[in-house]
Amino acid sequence: METLYLGCLALGVIFAVVSVLLGDLIGSALDGIFDVVSFHVISPAVLAGGITVFGGAGILLTRYSSLEDGPIVALSLLTAGFMGVVMYLGVVKPMDKSEMSSGFSMSELPGKIGEITVPVPAQGYGEIMVRFGAGNSLHTAASFDHQPLPAGIKVVVVEVQEGVALVSEFEQRRGEDL
């Protein structure tokens, strides 16, 4: 029985090392494998973590307790299940909801408020900075109204044509916050 526990522990440690070194490759290769099962709880990280905990708990209980094989297997499975749930609720589920992407689509620009960073002439191009999520993005801009726009003023993106944001000066009403 100890060989099974050592094998599970070693498998989990090897999986952890390989996933640290080749995580992106493994993630894309395993992506979708567990989609057949309707439980989102079964992910490679939770499964590997559970197998590792099963092996570690089995070794510890075998060496440091006077229990028979049956209760050791049962306690190891319970410990692995408990730690799997803890790992899912504490790591996997929160990470699924987090978003680290600063990606956006140009179709999201109309209606956004930005600031002129490079003056926009009446006929020509300048640059605006628009906030997307936690970051800022810079875009080529032209005046929608064909009026010169100095650096530092607030503008609203009216539309996007061929990758150029057409902007107009943003007129803030009294009492309104940006």
Side-chain angles (χ1 to χ4, degrees), residues 85-100:
V85 169
V86 168
M87 185 171 180
Y88 174 73
L89 294 176
V91 177
V92 174
K93 190 173 180 182
M95 291 301 285
D96 280 346
K97 292 182 179 181
S98 70
E99 182 176 328
M100 292 299 294

Side-chain angles (χ1 to χ4, degrees), residues 5 14-17 21 37 39-40 47-48 52-53 57 74 94 106-107 109 134 146 159 161 167 170:
Y5 299 137
I14 290 169
F15 181 82
V17 169
L21 298 176
V37 182
F39 300 112
H40 185 64
L47 196 58
T52 306
V53 169
M106 290 297 280
S107 64
L109 274 177
H146 303 292
E159 63 180 300
Q161 289 182 354
V167 297
F170 180 70

Side-chain angles (χ1 to χ4, degrees), residues 2-47:
E2 194 167 338
T3 306
L4 172 68
Y5 299 137
L6 281 171
C8 288
L9 183 63
L11 181 70
V13 170
I14 290 169
F15 181 82
V17 169
V18 169
S19 66
V20 166
L21 298 176
L22 304 171
D24 291 336
L25 295 174
I26 291 172
S28 61
L30 294 178
D31 193 29
I33 288 179
F34 295 104
D35 288 347
V36 175
V37 182
S38 63
F39 300 112
H40 185 64
V41 176
I42 300 176
S43 69
V46 172
L47 196 58

Side-chain angles (χ1 to χ4, degrees), residues 154-166:
K154 299 281 186 209
V155 292
V156 62
V157 179
V158 178
E159 63 180 300
V160 177
Q161 289 182 354
E162 298 176 12
V164 177
L166 300 178

